[in-house]
Amino acid sequence: MVKAVVINGSPRARKGYTAMVMEPFIQGMKDAGADVETFYAKRLKVKSCTGKMHCWYEKPGICYIKDDMQKVYPVLRRSDILVLATPVYVPLPGEMQNVMNRLCPLVIPKLQIRAGRTRARFRDDVKIQKIVLVATGAWYERENLDTVLRIAREFAEDASVEFAGAVLRPHAFLMKQKGELTKDGIAVLEEVKKAGRELIEKGKMGKNTLDTIARPLIDREELLQRYNKVAKS
Ligand SMILES: Cc1cc2nc3c(=O)[nH]c(=O)nc-3n(C[C@H](O)[C@H](O)[C@H](O)COP(=O)(O)O)c2cc1C
């Protein structure tokens, strides 16, 4: 059975738009037979990395900081897929960055050159083969999520595993109105579920599926009007 671990970095945890998108993705993975475990960075007590490289040079593979990351490491080690789920905070919420920095002990402290770049790789006891991104933003264009996409892709390449694609949802807040999912919101979440299924069944998500998820829901001028109406300056 494929095992996936999700790290949701939204400070709004279960109440956030990222969780709203993440839930059907998890359901899709489960429908296709995956075992999925989720961590909310906000609910974990995770100290920031001290940069002493203890996990590389003193005790390779072991983080000396005794906090909630110690219960995340074993799950990461036995997972085939790591899903990074995050809102865009130009670029990441602090909670998410903290967890990502603390993934250093999963990596072998020996550098290699691959395709002209200095890279490392996951330790042999880390099963992760694929990294996937699920990201939401509030602004109009899909390109607002490019920085986060770059981070997730770079992270996968640094660890020498496949970057298996990104579920990107710009202006995610428009999927709900007065707390209820809109028709478009429901349709997008159906596609998200499909993406989760495809990831497990085919090993990758279809381009059409991902494009449908990321599609504009209204035109840009209308978004500006709706967004700016509630903003005080
Ligand atoms: C500090 C901060 C910075 C943000 N920067 C961007 C941004 O550059 N582009 C964007 O599209 N959304 C931006 N957003 C909006 C969030 O990414 C968006 O509302 C997201 O869906 C929130 O997800 P959540 O509810 O799971 O936390 C920002 C939000 C915050 C709080």
Side-chain angles (χ1 to χ4, degrees):
M1 181 191 273
V2 176
K3 180 160 179 59
V5 57
V6 177
I7 298 178
N8 184 334
S10 168
R12 302 197 322 129
R14 284 181 199 277
K15 294 189 177 137
Y17 294 115
T18 309
M20 172 183 82
V21 174
M22 201 56 239
E23 271 159 30
F25 192 72
I26 292 172
Q27 193 54 54
M29 287 194 286
K30 285 184 175 171
D31 290 349
D35 172 34
V36 186
E37 213 162 325
T38 305
F39 292 99
Y40 292 91
K42 180 71 185 175
R43 294 177 163 205
L44 299 170
K45 290 202 169 39
V46 178
K47 294 189 183 139
S48 51
C49 174
T50 58
K52 291 184 179 162
M53 304 306 283
H54 192 272
C55 63
W56 271 32
Y57 302 127
E58 299 298 322
K59 286 199 175 161
I62 300 191
C63 180
Y64 78 101
I65 305 172
K66 301 299 173 225
D67 60 11
D68 283 350
M69 277 310 286
Q70 299 302 339
K71 64 183 182 199
V72 183
Y73 291 132
V75 180
L76 286 161
R77 284 200 162 84
R78 56 175 188 264
S79 294
D80 306 286
I81 301 174
L82 166 61
V83 183
L84 300 170
T86 185
V88 180
Y89 267 31
V90 222
L92 293 175
E95 290 88 343
M96 188 68 179
Q97 187 65 61
N98 257 358
V99 171
M100 287 181 73
N101 292 354
R102 293 283 302 280
L103 300 183
C104 216
L106 301 182
V107 171
I108 298 178
K110 289 205 188 314
L111 302 180
Q112 298 163 350
I113 300 197
R114 250 188 315 281
R117 288 286 305 274
T118 321
R119 305 289 193 191
R121 69 175 172 86
F122 280 139
R123 305 182 68 80
D124 292 340
D125 65 349
V126 178
K127 276 184 77 188
I128 298 169
Q129 296 292 322
K130 292 176 198 283
I131 291 178
V132 171
L133 171 69
V134 174
T136 66
W139 298 2
Y140 192 72
E141 302 82 9
R142 185 176 177 163
E143 289 73 17
N144 282 304
L145 292 94
D146 277 358
T147 308
V148 170
L149 177 59
R150 170 91 202 276
I151 290 170
R153 192 190 295 279
E154 188 76 11
F155 184 79
E157 286 173 7
D158 279 348
S160 302
V161 297
E162 180 191 348
F163 180 67
V167 171
L168 303 176
R169 187 52 253 175
H171 46 278
F173 71 98
L174 285 180
M175 290 166 66
K176 280 189 170 171
Q177 227 164 14
K178 295 186 179 142
E180 296 293 322
L181 279 170
T182 62
K183 220 170 129 203
D184 278 339
I186 292 168
V188 166
L189 294 187
E190 270 308 309
E191 285 297 301
V192 172
K193 197 201 273 191
K194 184 172 158 199
R197 270 201 315 270
E198 287 175 346
L199 177 67
I200 303 303
E201 283 167 0
K202 302 179 185 164
K204 58 180 184 177
M205 301 172 283
K207 185 180 179 314
N208 280 349
T209 312
L210 297 179
D211 286 346
T212 308
I213 293 167
R215 74 182 192 273
L217 299 181
I218 55 176
D219 75 45
R220 188 160 33 191
E221 282 310 311
E222 198 184 336
L223 177 118
L224 289 186
Q225 276 173 19
R226 285 173 63 171
Y227 197 91
N228 293 344
K229 204 159 60 182
V230 289
K232 296 180 180 134
S233 56

